[in-house]
Amino acid sequence: MMAVALASVGLGLLAGVAVYEVDSLVTSRSVRRVALGQLGLAPRSTNRSRWSVKSLRSRRAERRRRDEISAQMSPALSMIVGNLRIGRNVLGAIAEITDSVPEPLQSVLREIVTDVRLGGTVEDVVMRIAEREANPHLKVVASALSLHAQHGGSLVEILETVTESIEEEDRLHRDIRSLTADARLSAIVLMVMPVVAVVVVSLLSPGYMSPLVTEPAGRVMSVSALLLGAVGWRWLRALGQPEVTA
């Protein structure tokens, strides 16, 4: 009975590792629902398109795009501030640096310049694009531009403050990833070791783990192990990814 209990714990840890790794690769809400739905922890969506590989790849690409834009935002703002200091307006500063920044931020800036020249205001266009891209850095910039349009003040000083805030947030994110790397690796190793032991025992003694699926008590312990593994994964993810806001 002790072996069965250990095996159930091992299965739970295996489930925790699998779900943790999937969520590290794709952290969108729908993908988390898919992973948890396989464990019976979340209702399954009736829309099969969310289950498609194309949908998962699309969401991963969107997340990668958001991360790249966030990483490129601080240097771009520094160049915009430099152009404002020499007398250019906001639109002129953005147009001047568009060809100097890499993709995907380059296409975002080019779209801002085009839309403003078609009659929109800078702050409204930036806010609309920020909401579409779901990028918090762009939203902060849009809020700063809106604040300047409504209340005036030195736009150079406002954008410098925004740039410093974004740089500090990015630095905190890097520090958090570095500080939690050892803990996350240790947790994965500790979770994998019992699973390896269960696999070795199953190979050496075929059928030894069959009570986990054939006996009522074994099935109960298997389900409990899966639930505990999912709870452990959520806990590890919450501890390893604290929220940082500018």
Side-chain angles (χ1 to χ4, degrees), residues 122-200:
V122 176
E123 57 273 11
D124 291 340
V125 171
V126 174
M127 180 60 73
R128 176 176 55 80
I129 295 177
E131 292 176 351
R132 185 195 67 198
E133 297 287 345
N135 189 286
H137 289 355
L138 274 176
K139 290 182 179 179
V140 172
V141 174
S143 299
L145 294 174
S146 178
L147 178 66
H148 174 265
Q150 294 177 8
H151 304 286
S154 174
L155 183 58
V156 171
E157 294 180 359
I158 294 175
L159 291 182
E160 283 181 341
T161 303
V162 171
T163 303
E164 293 174 359
S165 299
I166 291 176
E167 290 176 349
E168 182 66 17
E169 181 180 351
D170 292 341
R171 185 188 65 79
L172 287 175
H173 276 297
R174 292 192 297 268
D175 291 345
I176 288 172
R177 295 291 299 177
S178 299
L179 292 173
T180 59
D182 291 341
R184 286 183 281 113
L185 179 60
S186 299
I188 293 175
V189 170
L190 291 175
M191 294 170 72
V192 169
M193 288 175 60
V195 178
V196 174
V198 171
V199 172
V200 171

Side-chain angles (χ1 to χ4, degrees), residues 8 14 20 42 50 71 87 90 103 114 131 161 171 174 197 200 209 212 225 228 236:
S8 65
L14 177 60
Y20 181 82
R50 295 184 179 181
V90 180
E103 291 289 351
T114 301
E131 292 176 351
T161 303
R171 185 188 65 79
R174 292 192 297 268
V200 171
M209 301 298 176
L212 288 174
L228 291 174
L236 285 174

